[in-house]
Amino acid sequence: IAVKETFPVNPQKAYQREAWSGGYESQPNEYDYWIEEIEGEIPAELNGTLLRNGPGLLEVNGQQLAHPFDGDGMISAIAFSQGRAHYRNRYVRTEGYVKEQQAQKILYRGVFGTQKAGGWLANAFDFKLKNIANTNILYWGDKLLALWEAAQPHSLKPQTLDTIGLDDLQGILEEGDAFAAHPWIDPRGNDGEPCLVNFSIKTGLSSTLTVFELDTQGKLLKRYSHSVPGFCFIHDFAITPHYCIFFQNPVSFNPVPFALGMRGAGECVKFQPQQPTNIIVIPRNGKDKPQIFPTPAGFVFHHANAFESGETLCIDSICYDSFPEVEPDSDFRQVDFDALSPGQLWRFTVNLTSQMVQRELTEPRCCEFPYVHPDKAGLPYRYLFMGAAHESTGNAPLQAILKIDWETGERQLWSAAPQGYVSEPIFVPHPQNPAEDAGWILTVVYDASHHRSDVVILDASDLNRGPVARLHLKHHIPYGLHGSWVSE
Ligand code: 3ON
Ligand code: FE
């Protein structure tokens, strides 16, 4: 007899949370080896190093961190040379990492809720920030820098990834100054030469935004600061040839539970849906005042790109309906994806003359970690690459790479589901072919079925071809944040 279902069965999901959560196991080991298990072939023209950063430790001697963003920065370097690839990873020897590893216990409070043992009394009035150097890794001006947005960068030895120490960028940063984890390289921003543009924030009842522009030697070209009303939680920004663009998310900050040792600072950030998101446009001439444009509330971590078109600025950003507030005392490995709003791609258009702001949902699929061809930073562009969910609707872990062609509207999706979980797709331009999508997408994929990670190389001009090569590592790399490519 056929049994008719009278209630909906579990809808088939592209992922299983238990399998996904394996990617948030710590990786305490440091490796150094030639990658031997390779499917397909590494392109002969792909020569250089993929650098990745992200939280590598999610616990200290069994004491769990409250949130992955609190985890110590672990750098991976995958060096490609003449069809071969070498893997190396090292922890950034921050003061906090070294001391906690010696003590084998948590000695610092994390911004996202990690507490020292002993309850609120042990944490109250401890305002020390542990600089965990876990968010991005960048080679600039002959320095390899591990970045974390609330403090100075750490410099590392490029060949070995050994930590040199905190770096003030040739005296540009003063003690206690921050240097955000989201620099842009403006391909022609310094009289036709590239320059690095990054920012720092000092926040409180009002906030000071400082922009730094550095030449290829790491020398300061410009520094300009502006004060804006209100608290700021700004993780990323966008640039165009004439402007820096910041999204001031509508959040408030209540310092009391933080001061009393009950919550991490990040857990005291509250989304304010009735307030606007302020788009702050700062001229790069270093003198003119910012203009501020309100737009309906949303929370933005990452911007894909921005460009100028006559009197208007277009900004492509990944926007959430609300800030994914950190639930105190919840286990991040047990997250209910369905209960959170997905990040979705929006295009914001700001007319600097009429002051009109428009916004349009351009990609409803859950996505994160946008990336464009480095020559197109701040300029009109055609192709966008992002991590994306396997399914076209709903919130879910990133299992696919999505390519958008703005000219034709075509979407290409390469999915690693059901066992694969992707990271930021890094676009590496082809050394000879100048076409905007000629090159490769490099992404580290956590393979839950083997509890190890693969480095996947895709042909950026045609994701439908599937991986050009898949390099099996001997171990997993915990889910990472950002990285970069350094060509040979
Ligand atoms: O007290 C203030 C508030 C605050 C939150 C000031 C402050 C500067 C101390 C501060 C600190 C902010 C920090 C340290 C933010 C760090 C963020 C970070 C490490 C990562 C952000 C990641 C964002 C996303 C969207 C990650 C997505 C990940 C996945 C889709 C899964 O792999
Ligand atoms: Fe980021």
Side-chain angles (χ1 to χ4, degrees):
I1 310 160
V3 179
K4 195 163 168 277
E5 296 286 353
T6 51
F7 51 88
V9 289
N10 267 356
Q12 202 61 43
K13 286 219 166 89
Y15 67 95
Q16 284 176 298
R17 194 180 60 193
E18 287 68 43
W20 163 83
S21 69
Y24 271 138
E25 255 174 50
S26 294
Q27 176 51 270
N29 304 316
E30 296 183 313
Y31 297 93
D32 203 328
Y33 61 91
W34 288 97
I35 301 169
E36 279 158 12
E37 247 189 277
I38 299 175
E39 284 176 67
E41 228 171 286
I42 299 173
E45 305 93 334
L46 184 67
N47 292 300
T49 303
L50 172 68
L51 296 164
R52 302 278 320 147
N53 197 353
L57 286 183
L58 290 310
E59 94 320 307
V60 179
N61 194 20
Q63 278 177 269
Q64 297 298 316
L65 305 191
H67 197 286
F69 297 170
D70 283 343
D72 289 308
M74 185 190 96
I75 311 298
S76 294
I78 299 104
F80 297 89
S81 172
Q82 292 160 7
R84 298 183 71 204
H86 182 275
Y87 180 84
R88 166 180 288 126
N89 71 314
R90 289 290 178 278
Y91 277 89
V92 185
R93 264 52 181 189
T94 64
E95 184 190 310
Y97 172 83
V98 171
K99 290 199 170 145
E100 289 188 336
Q101 289 308 301
Q102 273 162 7
Q104 281 298 300
K105 61 178 186 188
I106 295 175
L107 302 174
Y108 297 77
R109 304 176 72 188
V111 168
F112 292 96
T114 302
Q115 301 275 55
K116 296 181 275 185
W120 66 272
L121 257 180
N123 290 278
F125 305 107
D126 178 357
F127 301 118
K128 253 195 330 275
L129 283 180
K130 181 186 176 197
N131 180 350
I132 47 181
N134 73 354
T135 312
N136 207 342
I137 172 91
L138 155 87
Y139 188 69
W140 187 259
D142 248 350
K143 280 182 180 177
L144 183 59
L145 300 168
L147 306 177
W148 185 66
E149 70 197 65
Q152 277 191 8
H154 284 76
S155 66
L156 314 175
K157 291 189 185 154
Q159 297 308 320
T160 58
L161 304 181
D162 288 341
T163 303
I164 300 167
L166 279 176
D167 199 296
D168 66 3
L169 306 177
Q170 313 183 31
I172 294 170
L173 304 176
E174 285 160 29
E175 206 178 315
D177 273 358
F179 194 65
H182 274 283
W184 283 96
I185 296 173
D186 180 336
R188 293 189 285 279
N190 178 25
D191 275 340
E193 291 299 305
C195 67
L196 186 92
V197 189
N198 199 13
F199 68 99
S200 79
I201 300 182
K202 281 206 172 80
T203 190
L205 294 176
S206 70
S207 303
T208 303
L209 286 170
T210 302
V211 178
F212 306 92
E213 302 206 8
L214 276 56
D215 73 7
T216 50
Q217 310 299 307
K219 294 257 180 308
L220 186 68
L221 293 165
K222 290 187 215 169
R223 177 214 307 255
Y224 36 99
S225 288
H226 296 281
S227 172
V228 295
F231 175 80
C232 278
F233 180 9
I234 301 179
H235 173 72
D236 188 11
F237 76 137
I239 61 164
T240 69
H242 299 99
Y243 301 98
C244 290
I245 303 141
F246 296 86
F247 278 40
Q248 185 182 21
N249 293 304
V251 292
S252 61
F253 181 69
N254 173 9
V256 176
F258 171 57
L260 295 182
M262 288 139 95
R263 301 258 187 280
E267 293 170 302
C268 300
V269 173
K270 212 175 155 30
F271 191 67
Q272 301 295 340
Q274 74 292 349
Q275 287 173 19
T277 290
N278 283 329
I279 303 179
I280 303 171
V281 177
I282 297 183
R284 284 176 64 188
N285 64 16
K287 11 182 238 276
D288 291 339
K289 287 263 158 308
Q291 282 183 277
I292 300 180
F293 303 91
T295 179
F299 192 93
V300 172
F301 277 107
H302 294 129
H303 300 284
N305 203 7
F307 57 92
E308 299 171 11
S309 164
E311 295 298 289
T312 63
L313 295 177
C314 285
I315 309 115
D316 290 326
S317 311
I318 293 177
C319 195
Y320 296 78
D321 281 348
S322 75
F323 174 57
E325 273 161 49
V326 196
E327 280 297 324
D329 308 318
S330 66
D331 178 350
F332 62 84
R333 294 181 185 85
Q334 307 279 316
V335 60
D336 178 4
F337 284 94
D338 298 325
L340 298 173
S341 65
Q344 293 169 312
L345 189 71
W346 291 72
R347 174 159 291 184
F348 295 84
T349 310
V350 178
N351 187 311
L352 295 172
T353 310
S354 72
Q355 312 271 304
M356 279 275 290
V357 182
Q358 284 170 309
R359 53 169 206 163
E360 183 195 352
L361 179 66
T362 45
E363 177 52 63
R365 185 187 293 264
C366 168
C367 53
E368 251 305 347
F369 298 135
Y371 213 92
V372 299
H373 190 303
D375 289 350
K376 298 294 174 187
L379 299 170
Y381 71 108
R382 177 167 174 182
Y383 299 108
L384 174 60
F385 300 92
M386 304 186 285
H390 176 82
E391 302 287 354
S392 59
T393 58
N395 183 48
L398 306 177
Q399 295 188 282
I401 304 297
L402 177 67
K403 174 187 180 185
I404 296 181
D405 178 343
W406 293 121
E407 205 165 294
T408 62
E410 187 196 346
R411 268 52 172 172
Q412 289 184 345
L413 189 86
W414 172 74
S415 176
Q419 296 286 356
Y421 298 88
V422 306
S423 61
E424 177 186 57
I426 291 195
F427 177 83
V428 179
H430 191 284
Q432 278 97 39
N433 187 342
E436 192 185 318
D437 65 345
W440 303 276
I441 289 295
L442 303 185
T443 183
V444 173
V445 179
Y446 173 66
D447 170 7
S449 62
H450 295 85
H451 185 52
R452 69 177 175 190
S453 296
D454 295 341
V455 180
V456 170
I457 305 172
L458 299 164
D459 178 345
S461 71
D462 187 4
L463 299 191
N464 294 334
R465 278 183 59 193
V468 175
R470 198 189 262 271
L471 287 56
H472 300 292
L473 302 182
K474 300 181 186 209
H475 50 83
H476 81 295
I477 303 177
Y479 295 126
L481 291 167
H482 303 287
S484 55
W485 171 258
V486 185
S487 52
E488 203 167 64

